[in-house]
């Protein structure tokens, strides 16, 4: 029997600017922290960069035609901050805004609803290296001023696209920006300071709040404003008190460091206590939490795999948290926690396939944010996809992955979760951050030498599900 999704359920796909656009020196664009990071030897596998990526900046019409061929109802894309406001300050570059105006117009002409994400990790490099306080460690998200610069940028983009785009997300996965960028250093800008990571998390929260206000000041009343988080379905390895405490610590750092201020207007007391040996959190000013707790029109949930943790019997054992290898932890104040491989099938990212974590998160956040609709704004898997002798790309593993996770979404719906749509990650094979071009998440295969696009079997399967609203 087929599983039916509610009428009006939104079927989409998602991408990010630095991962697909290329054209990093065209139209007035200046370097982002990812341009700098990817050109630093040893930071990205194979020395890959996003200089060309999928050449979407020149091939966007072709890519929109592919979306239309797949019958997508929505497309979630991100705006490149350094393409629009090259130094992160001052007036916009109209050519950059025109690119997004033209893209959105083409989407609408094909009946595809745009969802714009303002920040998907490509901070203008000038904001990382040029900042008001004169901190010797660096600028960027640990600096309060960056949140104010983000709000200015949000207003610029809203003024340009507000008559065309109705759904907006401020930030994508601020956990990665803060803790992988400034804690473990495996993402741009590659810094390894646990206090800077915590400062960055707070200023990203503040940027969301200020940015949401700037968006609403410029957008029509019908517009919807949200944020995309990558909450972790954290599980204790056993019911032993020390393992349950490990779960609590990681839940605070992975989830409640954002949802506490966003949903409740406060940082969790246990998080403050866990990190008291690192910082007194004096970077949080009296009015900040009120600024952060803005009404949410929806909450985006990005999900790939759960986490299993325990108390660490041997703190010297390498950390296996799925976020690339580093001598520095992205978990400040949680050095005594061990991460364990989840049993079962693995994707090419070495991540376990476990859709039950998605059910857990969708039901959890329906309960924690009553009245706030949810979207699955990213979900997908990397596999070692290759064309066959006829040039076709068969990816049955991805079809099984998507079937299982869409079944999980439907299970959450039956349990009362208010899920309004699903965005497949990703539309295209692309630049996969520190993994370069070695990991393929796309429903569309990209030959990076020729830039030829080929629909994989999973793309056609997903198109049938989207067209029918039924999961076979």
């Amino acid at each position: 029997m087929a599983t039916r999704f509610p009428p009006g359920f939104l079927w989409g796909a998602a991408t990010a600017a630095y991962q697909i656009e290329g054209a990093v020196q065209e139209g007035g664009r200046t370097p982002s922290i990812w341009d700098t990071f990817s050109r630093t030897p040893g930071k990205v596998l194979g020395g890959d960069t996003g200089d060309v990526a999928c050449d979407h900046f020149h091939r966007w019409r072709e890519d929109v035609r592919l979306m239309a061929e797949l019958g997508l109802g929505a497309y979630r894309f991100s705006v490149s901050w350094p393409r629009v406001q090259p130094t992160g300050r001052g007036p916009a570059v109209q050519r950059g805004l025109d690119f997004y105006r033209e893209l959105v117009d083409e989407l609408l002409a094909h009946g595809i609803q745009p969802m714009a994400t303002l920040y998907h990790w490509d901070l203008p490099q000038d904001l990382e290296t040029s900042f008001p306080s004169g901190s010797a460690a660096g600028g960027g998200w640990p600096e309060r001023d960056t949140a104010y610069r983000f709000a200015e940028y949000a207003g610029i983009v809203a003024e340009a696209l507000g008559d065309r785009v109705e759904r907006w997300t401020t930030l994508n996965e601020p956990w990665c920006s803060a803790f992988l960028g400034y804690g473990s250093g495996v993402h741009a800008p590659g810094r390894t300071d646990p206090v800077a990571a915590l400062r960055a998390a707070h200023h990203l929260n503040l940027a969301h709040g200020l940015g949401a206000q700037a968006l609403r000041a410029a957008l029509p009343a019908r517009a919807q404003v949200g944020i995309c988080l990558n909450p972790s379905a954290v599980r204790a390895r056993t019911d032993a008190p020390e393992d349950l405490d490990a779960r609590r610590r990681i839940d605070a750092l992975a989830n409640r460091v954002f949802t506490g201020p966003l949903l409740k207007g406060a940082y969790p007391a246990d998080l403050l206590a866990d990190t008291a040996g690192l910082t007194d959190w004096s970077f949080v000013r009296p009015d900040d939490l009120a600024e952060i707790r803005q009404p949410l029109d929806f909450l985006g949930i990005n999900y790939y795999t759960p986490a299993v943790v325990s108390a660490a019997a041997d703190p010297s054992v390498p950390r296996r948290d799925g976020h690339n290898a580093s001598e520095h932890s992205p978990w400040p104040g949680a050095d005594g926690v061990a991460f364990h491989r989840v049993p079962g099938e693995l994707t090419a990212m070495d991540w376990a396939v476990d859709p039950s974590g998605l059910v857990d998160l969708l039901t959890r956040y329906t309960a924690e944010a009553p009245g706030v609709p949810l979207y699955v704004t990213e979900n997908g898997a990397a596999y070692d996809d290759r064309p066959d002798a006829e040039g076709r790309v068969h990816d049955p593993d991805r079809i099984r992955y998507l079937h299982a996770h869409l079944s999980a979404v439907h299970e959450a719906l039956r349990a009362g979760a208010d899920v309004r749509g699903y965005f497949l990650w990703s539309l295209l094979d692309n630049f996969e951050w520190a993994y370069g071009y070695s990991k393929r998440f796309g429903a569309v295969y990209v030959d990076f030498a020729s830039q030829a696009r080929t629909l994989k079997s999973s793309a056609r399967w997903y198109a049938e599900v989207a067209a029918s609203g039924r999961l076979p």
Side-chain angles (χ1 to χ4, degrees), residues 45-215:
L45 190 65
D48 292 339
T49 73
D51 287 3
V52 177
C54 305
D55 197 29
H56 175 75
F57 186 79
H58 299 112
R59 299 171 183 265
W60 56 271
R61 287 187 176 86
E62 175 187 356
D63 292 338
V64 174
R65 285 196 298 272
L66 285 173
M67 296 180 221
E69 183 178 343
L70 294 174
L72 296 184
Y75 174 52
R76 177 178 167 246
F77 65 96
S78 79
V79 177
S80 169
W81 191 347
R83 195 178 295 287
V84 166
Q85 196 186 29
T87 65
R89 299 180 177 89
V93 172
Q94 289 304 312
R95 177 65 192 95
L97 289 172
D98 286 345
F99 168 70
Y100 296 106
R101 290 184 180 109
E102 292 166 4
L103 171 64
V104 169
D105 286 346
E106 190 78 0
L107 291 168
L108 294 172
H110 285 84
I112 301 168
Q113 298 178 37
M115 178 186 281
T117 297
L118 288 172
Y119 186 73
H120 200 133
W121 307 353
D122 47 357
L123 185 74
Q125 180 62 37
D126 276 13
L127 290 183
E128 178 66 26
T129 53
S130 175
F131 42 90
S133 74
S135 166
W141 288 112
E143 288 291 311
R144 184 180 187 85
D145 186 66
T146 305
Y148 293 101
R149 301 288 67 75
F150 176 80
E152 179 184 64
Y153 156 69
I156 288 170
V157 181
E159 289 284 355
L161 301 180
D163 60 337
R164 299 165 168 86
V165 178
E166 293 191 9
R167 290 185 184 87
W168 296 78
T169 63
T170 52
L171 309 173
N172 179 77
E173 298 185 359
W175 185 89
C176 295
S177 297
F179 295 104
L180 300 183
Y182 296 93
S184 66
V186 300
H187 277 193
R191 287 160 58 183
T192 54
D193 179 347
V195 177
L198 293 168
R199 289 174 60 93
H202 174 64
H203 294 138
L204 283 154
N205 281 332
L206 182 60
H208 160 76
L210 297 173
Q213 294 175 68
L215 287 172

